[in-house]
Amino acid sequence: MSAAAVLEAPPASARTPRGLVRTVLRLHRSALGIWLAFVAATAGLLLWLLGPGAEAAQHKLAVYGYAALIMPDGPATEYNDLFSYPDTLLTVASFAVALFAGGPLIAREMESGTAQLAWTQSVSPARWLATALAVPAAFIVLGTTLLTVLYHQLWAAHSDLLVAGIGPRALYFSLGPATVAAPLLGLALGALIGLTARRTLPALAFSGFAYFLVYAFRGNHWPFQGRYQQPELSSRSRAFTSAGTEIRDPGCYDDKACLAQHDIVRFTREYLPSSDYWPRQLLETGVLLALTAVAVALAFGLLRRRAATG
């Protein structure tokens, strides 16, 4: 038995379900701290985009119309770029979850002998694995749900500030229950690979590669969001005269003489709801959760065989 296993031997209290949870939290407190910091920082960015970050771009849109959004080096262009950052961070977080599950959560415990030691302390292998997966899964669901809800609020409030193209649709289709299900699949895949490899570095490499394949498949196949080939979201732009009459956007850009000629005092713009949003979201979420269940079942089956053969 390795020195690491002796040092990390679970106390008697760890034999209870509550003790197991405390043990998992203690062993992986650094990863938990990183996750909580990530959620807090991303939530802070979303709240900033909801409030102060949108003010300058919103003013430009109201004064000059959609043309203001595509003016180079303008506040609206910068805001458009920042709008997609949380989506990128959520994608990176899903990769990180897969790496954590494959490496520190499972493979390192198998490699060091800590898991096997726990099994000799009246903790069954199945209960050890169930707790090891349930604790991070709870934090993943809570964190990603919070961020997805904030992101939806941001979309509802300021999606009109996004430059037209396939970018808004890709973003729109990445905000929903599938955003919560994706890292859970990463957790399950990482755990399965960690149990298979039983060594930290190979488990990290294979977990990252496996989740990359999942991400690539999601980007190119129905019913997933289809990041590379997809139609634009429909949008509606309106200009209003000083009398309150709605007219077609004349495309004046920042030409004040043009605005005065058409008697335009403000503009509005919105992306219209997509009829295929919820069908795709529910199908994608169902597929991801089904794959998660399969990976978890395979992990438990593999663990039973490993424990039976010693």
Side-chain angles (χ1 to χ4, degrees):
M1 184 179 300
S2 67
V6 173
L7 289 174
E8 299 185 26
S13 62
R15 301 174 191 178
T16 66
R18 196 172 292 179
L20 272 175
V21 171
R22 286 197 297 268
T23 300
V24 172
L25 291 174
R26 184 174 69 251
L27 286 174
H28 304 291
R29 57 187 176 274
S30 296
L32 174 60
I34 292 172
W35 174 255
L36 293 177
F38 161 76
V39 172
T42 306
L45 174 58
L46 287 166
L47 290 172
W48 182 85
L49 289 168
L50 267 166
E55 290 179 1
Q58 190 71 58
H59 174 72
K60 283 286 186 181
L61 173 65
V63 174
Y64 300 117
Y66 176 70
L69 302 182
I70 56 178
M71 293 164 65
D73 302 323
T77 304
E78 296 172 2
Y79 187 82
N80 178 85
D81 296 336
L82 288 172
F83 206 104
S84 63
Y85 282 6
D87 179 46
T88 302
L89 291 173
L90 283 166
T91 300
V92 172
S94 294
F95 274 96
V97 166
L99 294 174
F100 165 71
L105 183 65
I106 300 296
R108 189 178 67 183
E109 303 303 299
M110 300 290 290
E111 186 176 21
S112 67
T114 305
Q116 293 87 333
L117 182 60
W119 304 342
T120 67
Q121 304 292 318
S122 300
V123 176
S124 68
R127 195 168 75 178
W128 168 81
L129 180 59
T131 306
L133 292 178
V135 173
F139 283 99
I140 289 167
V141 169
L142 290 174
T144 52
T145 298
L146 170 64
L147 296 178
T148 302
V149 169
L150 286 175
Y151 222 159
H152 261 295
Q153 291 179 344
L154 176 62
W155 176 272
H158 299 303
S159 61
D160 56 327
L161 299 176
L162 296 178
V163 177
I166 65 170
R169 181 179 171 90
L171 179 63
Y172 178 62
F173 274 78
S174 67
L175 304 179
T179 308
V180 180
L184 291 178
L185 177 57
L187 179 70
L189 281 176
L192 176 60
I193 292 170
L195 286 169
T196 303
R198 292 188 293 177
R199 293 175 58 194
T200 305
L201 291 180
L204 284 170
F206 286 119
S207 296
F209 180 69
Y211 195 80
F212 170 78
L213 293 179
V214 171
Y215 178 78
F217 188 87
R218 287 180 68 198
N220 290 282
H221 295 83
W222 189 91
F224 304 120
Q225 49 217 23
R227 292 179 181 272
Y228 305 118
Q229 293 183 354
Q230 52 194 336
E232 297 182 16
L233 282 178
S234 300
S235 62
R236 180 167 53 206
S237 299
R238 298 181 240 183
F240 294 87
T241 67
S242 59
T245 304
E246 179 182 337
I247 65 172
R248 183 178 179 181
D249 186 347
C252 289
Y253 288 79
D254 57 349
D255 186 340
K256 294 183 179 180
C258 175
L259 294 172
Q261 177 185 350
H262 292 87
D263 190 29
I264 295 174
V265 294
R266 68 183 178 91
F267 292 85
T268 64
R269 180 173 178 268
E270 62 180 325
Y271 280 105
L272 303 179
S274 177
S275 60
D276 61 340
Y277 174 80
W278 278 112
R280 281 183 179 245
Q281 275 291 323
L282 294 176
L283 280 169
E284 180 174 10
T285 303
V287 171
L288 292 174
L289 291 178
L291 291 175
T292 300
V294 170
V296 169
L298 290 174
F300 275 96
L302 179 61
L303 181 64
R304 279 196 297 271
R305 287 196 294 271
R306 296 283 192 203
T309 57

